[in-house]
Amino acid sequence: MGYIVSILFGAIVGSFLNVCIYRIPKGESIIFPGSHCPHCQRSIPFYDNIPLVSYLFLRARCRYCQGPISLQYPLVEGVTALSSFLLFSRFGISWSYLFYFSFLASLIVITVIDLYHQIIPDVISLPGVAVGLAASFILPQLTFLNSLIGVLLGGGSLFLVATFYQWLFKREGMGGGDVKLLAMIGAFLGWKAVVLTILLGSLIGSIVGVIVMVVKGKDLKYAIPFGPFLSLGAALSLFYAEKIIQWYSYACR
Ligand SMILES: [Zn+2]
């Protein structure tokens, strides 16, 4: 029963995250007005706004103008529902569930906004740093010192890399948004996981970057946003940090 509720709750939050993704880059309110179709501007009735179900039922088209509904909507709802389910399986109903769910929800919003606009909004990452630091007083697995070092290490290390990159290539490679995102990740996960996040994010990012270059025939100057890879690295660190570190120390013995 709890598992089903965690999935439903996740899907409903995911539906709200879609609103955030659409409105935060425009500087619009995320509360008012209610959802409306981006094509015909008609407001969407509640029965057409049911997470995952409405998308399938409407066959990805607006009821009124037949305008396409982006696959982003069910994807975000599905990933958020999965995040909620995995965290509930691990932590049950607890502070850990609550904080890590808000953490993953923020990463989902950041990932999609970064993919569309190549920006990471400060309105998510900076409060995220504060919430992560505050969470260290409540979460059993995180001390304040660990969280604080995570912020400094996450923000600081990427800042150094970005500065060096800019000095070397005379152009901006990583945005200041990535620095603040890593500070937020460090605040929530602590310093070990932030190191792992940078390693995983760079590794996955490089692999995808090479594939994109080969497939699209573009050179290294074609910038792909780093935020989604850092977010994915952070999610993997949250769930699998111990396993990855164990496997690594075993493999390198
Ligand atoms: Zn419409």
Side-chain angles (χ1 to χ4, degrees):
M1 186 65 194
Y3 294 104
I4 295 167
V5 174
S6 75
I7 292 170
L8 291 178
F9 177 67
I12 292 166
V13 172
S15 176
F16 173 68
L17 297 185
N18 276 315
V19 175
C20 296
I21 289 164
Y22 186 72
R23 295 188 187 177
I24 287 176
K26 293 179 166 186
E28 293 176 359
S29 162
I30 53 174
I31 315 278
F32 297 107
S35 301
H36 50 262
C37 169
H39 307 290
C40 65
Q41 309 305 327
R42 285 224 214 185
S43 61
I44 300 168
F46 74 93
Y47 51 82
D48 279 350
N49 213 357
I50 301 163
L52 296 167
V53 179
S54 291
Y55 181 82
L56 295 173
F57 188 73
L58 292 169
R59 295 198 195 129
R61 303 242 159 234
C62 168
R63 178 186 293 276
Y64 306 108
C65 69
Q66 303 298 312
I69 304 171
S70 166
L71 187 62
Q72 172 213 316
Y73 288 86
L75 271 181
V76 165
E77 285 154 5
V79 171
T80 313
L82 179 69
S83 305
S84 173
F85 170 76
L86 290 174
L87 288 171
F88 178 77
S89 315
R90 177 104 162 230
F91 300 111
I93 298 178
S94 61
W95 284 110
S96 299
Y97 168 85
L98 193 69
F99 277 112
Y100 288 133
F101 185 53
S102 54
F103 175 61
L104 289 183
S106 308
L107 293 182
I108 291 166
V109 173
I110 284 172
T111 293
V112 183
I113 290 180
D114 202 13
L115 284 172
Y116 280 139
H117 305 282
Q118 279 78 50
I119 51 156
I120 295 174
D122 287 350
V123 290
I124 303 172
S125 58
L126 293 182
V129 172
V131 172
L133 284 168
S136 71
F137 290 102
I138 297 168
L139 298 184
Q141 58 272 51
L142 187 66
T143 64
F144 178 71
L145 191 64
N146 190 1
S147 176
L148 186 66
I149 297 173
V151 172
L152 299 175
L153 199 67
S157 58
L158 200 57
F159 179 73
L160 283 179
V161 173
T163 308
F164 179 72
Y165 186 95
Q166 203 164 4
W167 172 77
L168 195 67
F169 296 103
K170 302 283 181 260
R171 62 192 170 79
E172 204 175 338
M174 271 170 287
D178 295 319
V179 175
K180 287 168 239 173
L181 169 61
L182 260 182
M184 173 180 122
I185 292 169
F188 271 94
L189 299 184
W191 72 268
K192 275 186 198 165
V194 93
V195 173
L196 189 60
T197 297
I198 297 170
L199 292 174
L200 289 172
S202 311
L203 180 69
I204 302 167
S206 316
I207 294 169
V208 174
V210 167
I211 293 171
V212 168
M213 272 189 286
V214 170
V215 172
K216 292 204 168 183
K218 294 187 174 163
D219 66 10
L220 269 168
K221 279 180 192 154
Y222 177 73
I224 47 174
F226 198 27
F229 300 111
L230 290 176
S231 299
L232 181 61
L236 290 172
S237 300
L238 169 59
F239 288 111
Y240 304 113
E242 282 152 38
K243 275 192 188 145
I244 294 170
I245 292 167
Q246 253 175 22
W247 172 82
Y248 183 79
S249 44
Y250 179 77
C252 297
R253 248 197 323 216

